[in-house]
Amino acid sequence: VQASQSNPAIRPAFVVTGWTERPIDLELDGKKVTQGVRCGWVQDLDGDTLIVWLEGDLSAPTSITIS
């Protein structure tokens, strides 16, 4: 995520279609995140969709890994 002080990512959310793994692991800049994140799945006829929401803001470039 290309965030900055002048252009922060405010409580970003990510939608990943076709995700079937449960539970998920989330890393920000290589560090595992266990608090301040919410995730859920939407199930429909096309398959599962993962939704990940970060409760905080990002104010610097950040690498996000969902596995």
Side-chain angles (χ1 to χ4, degrees):
V1 175
Q2 293 298 320
S4 66
Q5 288 287 340
S6 62
N7 191 23
I10 308 296
R11 293 183 283 298
F14 305 92
V15 177
V16 184
T17 57
W19 191 274
T20 58
E21 298 292 322
R22 295 180 193 201
I24 69 157
D25 288 320
L26 178 73
E27 294 180 358
L28 297 178
D29 291 331
K31 296 177 185 169
K32 187 172 181 176
V33 176
T34 58
Q35 295 181 355
V37 61
R38 294 184 185 195
C39 61
W41 287 263
V42 176
Q43 297 175 330
D44 60 24
L45 295 175
D46 294 325
D48 292 352
T49 299
L50 170 67
I51 301 170
V52 178
W53 175 63
L54 301 179
E55 294 179 355
D57 302 338
L58 303 175
S59 58
T62 305
S63 172
I64 297 172
T65 304
I66 301 171
S67 60

